[in-house]
Each structure stands twice: as structure tokens, then as C-alpha cells.
Amino acid sequence: MTIAQIGPPRADATEIDPTTVSKQEDWKKAPAPQVRRDPEDTSLTVDPDETQNQPSELNDDLSATPVLVEAAHCTNGKSAELLSAESAKENLDFPLEFLPEMIGKYVDEAAESISCPNDYVGVPMLAALGAAIGTSCLIEIKKDWRETASLYTMVIGRSGSAKSPAFEKSVEPLRSLEKAWGGVIVNDTTVEALAVQMSEHPKGAILLRDELSAWIKGFNQYKSAGGSDEQFFLEAWSGSPIKINRKTKPKEVTVPRPFLAIAGGIQPAVLSDLVSEDRVLSGFAARFLLAYPESQKRSYTENVISERAETAYHKTLSRLCKLSDGTTDSPRIVCFSPASKKLWVEWIGEHHEEVDALVDDSALLAAWGKIDGYMARLILIVHLVRQASESSVGESVDQESFWAAEDLINYFKAQAIRVYGKRRGWSCSSSPNCDSSPQSAQLGKVERAAAWLAKQNGQGIRPRDLQTARIARDSDEAKGICKTLVEENIAEWTEIPGKSKERLRLKSAVSTQQKESVLRGGAE
């Protein structure tokens, strides 16, 4: 039995059929996968496992240490909005809007009752929702590319920041539904034992670890020779069939359709266990959706989660758990509507531009290599959660589900920039887009934009490219600069072949003298 849930090489990533609709298909028809280049607690109780002291040399308060990439490691003119520090900041807040109202309320109320960032509740909740779906549904991007709802998530926070109670608020409802779900929850097991559990629970498994550092450090602990725990989790994420040889019975364990979700936390002091050079190069680190929210001052509150919000979250999980028991060889296939497929094609084209813009950065490039698959997985989760909560949502992925997932992927992109920025200590000086010369600093932003535009060889730019180049502070300022360039008869909006939106480029009628003038930073 084979599956096709991991995407094709990027060369044909946009060869799609925009008229596809939701359907049931025999799993066996899908070709083999292609592996690409993841009681109420309202007190201030601190988890016992989080009481150890932080090393004094590490400060995880990102507000005190600028760590966002300054358009880092990007080629001139191609880097995308999320690769700039200012634009990344705009996406650092966990986007509650992707959730149905009452489930979003659950996240907000749980975080308020515990006194912690919404990220601590919302990120592991995403993994729990995906696990509830399990192998019952796939999203089809095109006929040979499908994705499951499997997520590997990790929340980063210092000791005493309330990761543990927030984590429990996210996953406890799934624990209570484990029998009805048909999947299995594990927390401390060998990969051999996990493979047995996954073979016995075809709906899937979720690994829940309050502190993931101990789990990572325990890799290969019980292996006397051969085999790799890390490789097992790489394959499980990809959905590749798994075969394990054991010394005890059963001697051989096969999981033809593996589904594994992971949720947990880690302290900044031991984050290097995940983002070490070896794990970046292997692709293990890139398979995790990371969240590193800013530290929040805690304060006691009498607030608790409302009964309506609790009921809504529990009912949604319950409905997802009942989609299928996972024993069928024909999972439900969810497809795009024509309108949402058009959005997908445009999005993935821009994503590939971002990937092409990254140079000399193995960590961020590896993470971006998993973003398209994760975008599809998040679309699937968002759409099925909406279906379980709102009767008006249709079978095919609509634009609302796409936009909500896009907000989520932008959030995780911004978080990845933050985490890997801290790992590498990137600075503006490493970017060819970062002009810190005294002359550049004195230029007006409109003149600088014109000068930069003149160097683009007629390629055309989007307003957000001005943010990437660190000319504009935010999207409003970028749009204002573009408007001025048009009004001053220096640039014009034109259609570019293969692009769905117009691009701004220098007017062909602009004289050589004018071009030379703006290249010098002045206006005639």
C-alpha cells in the first residue's frame, strides 16, 4: 500500500487542475510518496520540571535582544516581506482569527486564566486538532500531492512561564476522548514500541511531552547497534511507510500509513538540542513549527475558561475524532474550490520566490523547504475545524479556510525567523539589501525607493518589497511611497507575465538623465 502525501519537486509545483472538487478516492490509487529536498488551574503554580535555573549567559527576552533577520541572507530584489525584521514583527502575534469564535475564545480565556501568551495554548492545540483528524482525511493539492493533518509543534519559553499548565489546557480534552478517537497518546516510549502502537491504532498517534529536550536527548538511548530514532521521526512526518525489525515479538512491525503528531515545549537554554547543525542539515529541526513568544509578566487572576468555550472545543474535537476510525483504505480526500486553488497557485509562486531569495543559510532554507507542505496541512486542519463548528462550510476548501491558514503560516514564518535569528545572530551587515552608508541614510525614502527601483532591470516590485529592502517601515508606508512614485511620473503599475497582480517599475518614458538622477539619490 502506498501513499502520495508529500509534494513533488518544485519544478512542477503549479501544474494543477483548478476545477478539482472534494471526492472519495481509493488510497491505493495514489502513487508512492516523494520525499522533498513539521481541575482548573488558575494559580501561579510552576511545573516541577521547570524549576531549574537558567544559565546566566542566556537571555531569552527577545524584546531586550534584537534577533529578527534584517532582510538577511536574501538576494537583491527577490526577498519576500516576511524576511524583513519590521514585517516579521507584524506576524508575531498568534492569529486567533483562524479559529471559530468559541474555540478562539477558549484559547484567549485559557491564556488569561493562566497568565501566559496565547501561543502557549494555541500552538499545541493545533497539533491536537490535527491528531483528532488523523488518517481520516487528506488534502489533495494535485493528483500526486497530498498531505495529512500531522504537525510537529514546539513552544519555547523560560522556566516558570506557565508552559506546562497551558499545554495541559490544550491537550487534556483530547486525552478524555482517546477511546472514541481511535488513536493513541504516548509520551515516553522507544520508537520500536511506538511503531507497534501506531500499527495497532491506524487513526494515528500523538506524542505529548511537556519538555521535549529530554525526548531529543534520549534518541538512540536503547540502541546497541544500528537504527536511528531521528530517522524514524523524519519518516513519520513525511508519511513514508515504516518498517521496524525488533528482537522481541512481533519481530517485524510495518506501518503502511503512519500518522504522528508531536506537541511539547522546550526552554531556551536547551534549544540548541533541536537547532544544532546536524539536526538542521538532516531536516529534523525544519519539521517543527516553532513558537517563541515574548516573555509575559505573570499575575494572579480569578478568571477561568467559560463553560461555553470549553463545550465548543470539546465538541469540535469529538466531531473530528469521529470522522473515521482510520481502518479504511479510502480516507476522505479534501480538495480546493476553483477560487481557493487560484489563491494557492499565487501563494506557492510567491513562496518559491522567497525560497530562491534565501542564500547561504541552511537553517532558514531548510525550514522554508517544509513551508509549502505545512501550508497545505494547516489549510486541511482549519477547514475541517470550521466544518465541525459551522454547518454552512462546504466540502471543498474555500477562500476563508485558505486565508486563515495563510495567517497561520505567516505567524510560523515570523517565529522561525526569530528562532533562527537568535541561533545565528544575524545582523544587517550580512544582507546585500542593507545599505548603511551615510549617503543612503540621508536620502529621503522616496528617492531611495526610486534609486532601488532603477536597479531592478525592469523586473517590477510589490510594495512589500520596499519593506524587505528596509526602505519602508510597514505596509502603509510602502504603499505611500509607491503612490508618490506614480504621482511624480517616475514609476507606473504594469502587468508582468505570469503574475496575477501588477508590479511597479520605472516608466519607459523616464529619461536617462532622470534615471541617473534617482540612482544618485536626487530628483530632478
Side-chain angles (χ1 to χ4, degrees):
M1 191 178 304
T2 58
I3 58 175
Q5 60 191 56
I6 294 304
R10 275 182 29 218
D12 63 344
T14 58
E15 295 178 4
I16 44 77
D17 177 6
T19 63
T20 46
V21 295
S22 295
K23 55 187 177 292
Q24 291 285 118
E25 286 194 1
D26 189 342
W27 182 286
K28 297 180 182 179
K29 291 181 181 178
Q34 300 180 46
V35 181
R36 279 177 298 200
R37 351 202 203 308
D38 97 233
E40 296 292 336
D41 186 345
T42 58
S43 66
L44 292 180
T45 303
V46 177
D47 185 272
D49 293 334
E50 292 192 345
T51 55
Q52 59 183 339
N53 293 328
Q54 293 282 91
S56 58
E57 66 271 15
L58 180 68
N59 174 15
D60 74 310
D61 184 356
L62 295 181
S63 63
T65 307
V67 298
L68 292 173
V69 180
E70 307 277 351
H73 302 269
C74 300
T75 56
N76 191 26
K78 290 186 178 180
S79 53
E81 177 181 3
L82 288 173
L83 301 185
S84 69
E86 291 298 329
S87 55
K89 289 177 183 177
E90 295 178 3
N91 293 286
L92 283 173
D93 293 334
F94 187 75
L96 287 178
E97 295 78 10
F98 84 91
L99 289 166
E101 182 181 359
M102 290 312 299
I103 303 180
K105 200 171 183 63
Y106 181 95
V107 173
D108 200 34
E109 291 178 352
E112 187 175 349
S113 72
I114 299 166
S115 187
C116 70
N118 286 338
D119 318 54
Y120 285 7
V121 181
V123 171
M125 175 187 278
L126 275 171
L129 290 166
I133 296 166
T135 56
S136 66
C137 297
L138 298 173
I139 185 168
E140 181 173 288
I141 295 89
K142 57 179 184 175
K143 290 183 178 180
D144 61 350
W145 181 6
R146 295 172 181 170
E147 297 281 352
T148 69
S150 167
L151 306 181
Y152 287 8
T153 65
M154 182 180 293
V155 171
I156 305 160
R158 61 178 174 76
S159 173
S161 60
K163 295 195 309 297
S164 299
F167 181 73
E168 285 304 312
K169 294 296 184 188
S170 300
V171 302
E172 181 55 38
L174 183 61
R175 295 187 203 274
S176 68
L177 292 165
E178 188 171 5
K179 289 185 179 180
W181 167 35
V184 62
I185 296 173
V186 298
N187 51 42
D188 188 10
T189 183
T190 64
V191 295
E192 290 81 5
L194 177 56
V196 172
Q197 292 271 35
M198 291 171 69
S199 68
E200 294 174 349
H201 297 84
K203 185 71 177 286
I206 183 169
L207 187 148
L208 302 176
R209 290 292 296 262
D210 185 36
E211 282 292 336
L212 287 168
S213 58
W215 167 67
I216 295 172
K217 288 178 179 178
F219 281 1
N220 303 327
Q221 184 176 354
Y222 301 103
K223 286 184 173 12
S224 56
S228 167
D229 288 355
E230 184 175 307
Q231 186 63 33
F232 175 91
F233 292 106
L234 291 173
E235 293 174 356
W237 184 92
S238 299
S240 303
I242 293 174
K243 182 183 289 187
I244 297 285
N245 295 314
R246 309 173 78 237
K247 292 182 179 180
T248 59
K249 292 184 179 180
K251 290 289 187 179
E252 183 178 281
V253 178
T254 301
V255 187
R257 295 168 47 198
F259 180 99
L260 179 65
I262 298 176
I266 198 168
Q267 295 185 40
V270 290
L271 182 58
S272 58
D273 293 337
L274 174 70
V275 294
S276 66
E277 196 66 26
D278 287 346
R279 291 197 167 112
V280 165
L281 293 176
S282 72
F284 182 74
R287 281 164 168 77
F288 278 85
L289 294 175
L290 305 173
Y292 195 167
E294 292 188 17
S295 300
Q296 177 176 314
K297 184 176 180 180
R298 300 192 64 196
S299 58
Y300 177 78
T301 174
E302 291 286 340
N303 294 338
V304 296
I305 304 173
S306 65
E307 185 176 345
R308 284 188 65 201
E310 279 190 332
T311 300
Y313 181 34
H314 192 280
K315 280 186 175 180
T316 298
L317 272 175
S318 179
R319 288 168 181 164
L320 294 176
C321 288
K322 294 175 182 177
L323 286 173
S324 165
D325 61 5
T327 58
T328 175
D329 284 346
S330 297
R332 174 185 163 195
I333 307 300
V334 178
C335 297
F336 291 88
S337 68
S340 63
K341 179 55 73 72
K342 185 177 180 180
L343 292 174
W344 169 268
V345 172
E346 180 176 344
W347 176 86
I348 202 166
E350 292 186 353
H351 171 67
H352 289 163
E353 287 183 7
E354 292 182 20
V355 174
D356 293 339
L358 291 168
V359 295
D360 300 327
D361 191 281
S362 57
L364 208 58
L365 187 59
W368 254 239
K370 299 292 179 286
I371 288 295
D372 53 354
Y374 262 136
M375 176 65 171
R377 296 180 186 202
L378 290 171
I379 291 172
L380 176 62
I381 293 171
V382 168
H383 192 66
L384 294 178
V385 167
R386 290 181 60 225
Q387 278 189 340
S389 305
E390 306 167 19
S391 59
S392 61
V393 178
E395 288 298 308
S396 300
V397 170
D398 58 16
Q399 292 173 303
E400 291 298 324
S401 292
F402 180 92
W403 288 324
E406 187 177 28
D407 286 344
L408 274 172
I409 207 68
N410 287 345
Y411 163 80
F412 283 116
K413 281 181 175 182
Q415 291 291 337
I417 290 170
R418 168 175 246 172
V419 172
Y420 290 116
K422 190 168 186 63
R423 172 182 177 272
R424 293 284 299 272
W426 288 322
S427 65
C428 183
S429 61
S430 65
S431 169
N433 276 346
C434 185
D435 184 355
S436 57
S437 67
Q439 180 185 9
S440 177
Q442 294 173 1
L443 295 176
K445 291 189 175 183
V446 172
E447 286 78 9
R448 286 182 58 199
W452 184 70
L453 185 60
K455 299 175 184 178
Q456 304 311 306
N457 298 319
Q459 293 294 319
I461 66 166
R462 299 160 295 180
R464 62 186 184 184
D465 292 325
L466 295 176
Q467 293 176 253
T468 302
R470 297 198 52 75
I471 295 172
R473 179 180 61 255
D474 52 36
S475 59
D476 288 341
E477 186 172 59
K479 291 174 183 176
I481 292 172
C482 291
K483 182 180 179 181
T484 301
L485 288 170
V486 172
E487 291 175 345
E488 293 295 326
N489 210 30
I490 293 174
E492 62 184 349
W493 293 105
T494 58
E495 293 184 357
I496 304 293
K499 304 295 184 183
S500 61
K501 295 182 179 179
E502 291 183 325
R503 296 295 200 267
L504 186 73
R505 61 183 181 184
L506 285 184
K507 294 186 70 171
S508 57
V510 174
S511 67
T512 300
Q513 186 179 19
Q514 284 177 297
K515 290 181 180 179
E516 291 175 350
S517 175
V518 296
L519 281 168
R520 292 193 302 270
E524 291 263 322

